[in-house]
Amino acid sequence: MVRFLLRRAILAAMVTLTVLVVAFALTRLSGDLAVSIAGPNATAEDVATIRKNYGLDRPLPMQFLEWAANAASGDFGRSYLYRAPVAGLIKDRLPITIGLGLSGLTIALLTAIPLGILSAMREGSLLDRAIGLIALIGQAMPSFWLGLVLIIGFGLKLQWLPISGVDTWDGYILPGIVLAFSAIPALLRLTRAGMIEALASDYIRTARAKGLSTASVVLKHALRNASMPVVSVAAVQLGFMLGGSIVIETVFALHGVGYLAWESISKNDFPVVQAVVLLLAMIYVGLTLIADMMNAVLDPRLRAG
Amino acid sequence: MKPVLEIANLRVGFSDGTAAVRGISLNVLPGETHCLVGESGCGKSVTALSVMSLLGRGAKRSAEVMRFHDRDLTRMSDREMARLRGDKMAMIFQEPMTSLNPAYTVGSQMAEVLERHRHVSRAQGLDRAAALLGHVGITAPGMRLSQYPHQLSGGLRQRVMIAMALMCEPELLIADEPTTALDVTVQAQILRLLQGLQRQLGLALLLITHDLGIVARMAQRVSVMYAGQIVESATAEALFAAPAHPYTQGLLNCVPIPGKTPRDQPLGSIPGVVPRIGAGFIGCAFRDRCTHATTACSGDIPRRSVAQHHETLCTMAPS
């Protein structure tokens, strides 16, 4: 168990280092930063001043080392756009993004797992096909469109839920549903496939031969073995929700990290871009590590390796 | 003596039209070993699974009589069957490597049987599990309880399966090829274990096998199965001394008997394979492989008694 975790942790550290380099390199590759900061009306002198002030005239390795050292101590520099420390900007927006991602994942899991189990138990039936169809429609539906439909339906017509902002907890429900829809199809199919395989296995026949109740056979004996790929993919999906929810943040007027990333990329606010890319990569790495740990808890055979 | 298990005219068909079991009758008496013998695909396992109501979807079962003591298995609901399985009747399988859940400890999987049927605590379940592991010859049972299946050898896993089947002191144990997947030396140990347990606990054992060596060693009574039917049933002595059905004779010819089979002659074999049979098949299913086949073999075959407690399904048998 210790060796397994140690190996995963070393791998995670290496991935983080790589991302650090890539995040830095990408912003430098996207054009002359001094020119874009100075703006279209700036003179050559202005550009030169900016280049000197921001340290952009120094060799790249120097710039990188300085940035990495500062980042390690939590200092990501200042945003050109907001004229404020990047760390503070992200700290303000992170709770919204995390709240959004967690509500999206919760709704997705609460929908996908029971439907996947039902589908697997009635494989080939009308119910199974209906559930498959719903998953397909969910996958095909553009999230901005679904978001607008939900806003019109539940927000404006029925007036049950707020249509924008997260001043109260129920503000997370509609955007959470929209986010969940993109994750449900994959989670549902994985649950279904895993459960079909598990239910056909010899140990399930044994469990039934022992006279266990259907609930115990399905939820205890089959689901545990079927849940490992679901855990891994759910972790990736959560990472995706945390980083890729720009469209939904825009539709529901939520100013989270996704919105900040989009804004800073379009305005070439490179300290923010670097920090957000690094943050999201760290989140992915962290989530994968958590998923590995959860799988090691679920499957004793992994702990030995 | 009243049988523990009584089956009359059991039929099992699958949705693809094959008739896996075509009207078999057998019973198992308290404390006896009844062997169900036959080649792969003859319907032995399907018979066992249908007794336990463990057939998958797509299988259709019907029977004139299927009784466990006084309880009519044909009329029992899934829920009632589940209450009986693992409690009064238990089953062990051919594949010890995959029959235990890889995600739970041996102790947890054993204890849950007692928790389910006797509503005892986990601690009581584990106590009984440890006692039974010791009983089936596993050393250091306390340590084994906290181990996972992948930490055990095939022989150990089959012992765990046997111990698990005994958790609630069943009256009937169905063992479906329990030693086929094991090494020869381990096979002998497991068979000895089953014999010993049966004697101590008075178990009725329905032992399914294709191995006539095991039959000779274990069985009091034998039913020989071919293509979904029982073609011959007799006591073990009568079957080995005077096999009546050409299929049984063929099977016995395939097995060398030390001191009896001449060393310089090749062993016998039965050409061909078990045919797949649809629902409307009439006549003897063995006729295409039988050296004695006549035109009569294509008609209805009567079940005849060749001696007391010795029946066969063949036109050659004296009526």
Side-chain angles (χ1 to χ4, degrees), chain B residues 87-105:
Chain B
D87 186 358
K88 295 284 171 227
M89 48 200 262
M91 183 162 177
I92 54 178
F93 301 96
Q94 185 176 346
E95 304 85 5
M97 302 311 282
T98 52
S99 288
L100 289 163
N101 193 328
Y104 294 99
T105 59

Side-chain angles (χ1 to χ4, degrees), chain A residues 3 51 129 254-255 278 280 288:
Chain A
R3 256 182 60 199
R51 186 168 290 140
R129 269 172 244 178
L254 305 171
H255 290 275
L278 185 64
L280 293 179
T288 313

Side-chain angles (χ1 to χ4, degrees), chain A residues 99-109 172 175-177 179-181 183 241:
Chain A
L100 196 57
L102 287 181
S103 44
L105 185 73
T106 309
I107 295 170
L109 289 175
Y172 284 108
I177 291 175
L179 264 184
F181 252 81
M241 288 177 185

Side-chain angles (χ1 to χ4, degrees), chain B residues 1-314:
Chain B
M1 203 162 14
K2 266 193 70 115
V4 177
L5 178 70
E6 194 180 352
I7 302 171
N9 202 11
L10 169 70
R11 292 175 184 277
V12 181
F14 289 105
S15 46
D16 65 351
T18 46
V21 177
R22 302 184 296 140
I24 72 163
S25 303
L26 66 84
N27 56 51
V28 186
L29 301 174
E32 80 161 344
T33 300
H34 191 132
C35 273
L36 195 55
V37 200
E39 286 168 87
S40 308
C42 71
K44 301 170 298 201
S45 293
V46 174
T47 303
L49 291 173
S50 67
V51 171
M52 296 288 283
S53 283
L54 287 176
L55 292 167
R57 278 183 296 151
K60 244 182 99 64
R61 178 188 85 177
S62 71
E64 244 164 64
V65 179
M66 190 140 89
R67 245 198 309 266
F68 178 76
H69 286 296
D70 291 326
R71 306 186 64 177
D72 186 350
L73 300 182
T74 59
R75 289 168 179 276
M76 279 168 85
S77 69
D78 288 351
R79 198 175 288 252
E80 288 170 313
M81 249 342 271
R83 289 263 163 225
L84 200 59
R85 279 198 300 259
D87 186 358
K88 295 284 171 227
M89 48 200 262
M91 183 162 177
I92 54 178
F93 301 96
Q94 185 176 346
E95 304 85 5
M97 302 311 282
T98 52
S99 288
L100 289 163
N101 193 328
Y104 294 99
T105 59
V106 167
S108 149
Q109 294 186 58
M110 290 184 71
E112 72 179 341
V113 185
L114 210 62
E115 288 166 34
R116 159 78 170 164
H117 296 293
R118 297 284 184 274
H119 311 287
V120 301
S121 69
R122 170 57 50 122
Q124 286 170 294
L126 288 173
D127 279 350
R128 168 112 180 114
L132 276 172
L133 286 181
H135 208 77
V136 298
I138 291 179
T139 50
M143 176 195 81
R144 298 294 181 194
L145 286 180
S146 56
Q147 285 189 321
Y148 289 92
H150 74 269
Q151 295 168 297
L152 308 179
S153 67
L156 273 179
R157 287 189 215 185
Q158 196 62 296
R159 281 175 198 265
V160 169
M161 284 296 289
I162 292 171
M164 194 157 77
L166 299 177
M167 283 298 279
C168 291
E169 300 176 321
E171 290 165 53
L172 172 68
L173 179 64
I174 301 177
D176 186 0
E177 306 252 12
T179 57
T180 306
L182 302 174
D183 287 344
V184 181
T185 47
V186 183
Q187 269 187 24
Q189 293 168 9
I190 297 286
L191 289 175
R192 210 173 302 135
L193 171 67
L194 280 174
Q195 263 175 327
L197 289 170
Q198 188 188 26
R199 233 169 273 142
Q200 288 167 27
L201 308 172
L203 272 176
L205 181 62
L206 179 60
L207 180 63
I208 293 168
T209 180
H210 64 271
D211 185 337
L212 287 170
I214 293 177
V215 177
R217 176 173 174 170
M218 303 284 289
Q220 274 95 57
R221 286 195 300 150
V222 188
S223 293
V224 181
M225 213 169 159
Y226 186 80
Q229 289 179 314
I230 288 176
V231 294
E232 182 164 4
S233 60
T235 62
E237 296 99 53
L239 190 96
F240 283 101
H245 196 281
Y247 178 62
T248 316
Q249 294 162 0
L251 278 184
L252 290 172
N253 269 334
C254 301
V255 186
I257 301 160
K260 259 177 133 181
T261 310
R263 281 181 169 272
D264 48 355
Q265 270 175 34
L267 273 177
S269 67
I270 308 174
V273 290
V274 183
R276 276 191 103 63
I277 291 212
F281 187 87
I282 295 173
C284 175
F286 188 61
R287 66 187 179 226
D288 291 336
R289 300 171 78 183
C290 180
T291 48
H292 311 284
T294 63
T295 49
C297 300
S298 303
D300 274 329
I301 314 291
R303 188 171 293 278
R304 288 187 179 132
S305 205
V306 288
Q308 207 190 356
H309 305 304
H310 190 166
E311 286 186 344
T312 183
L313 196 66
C314 181

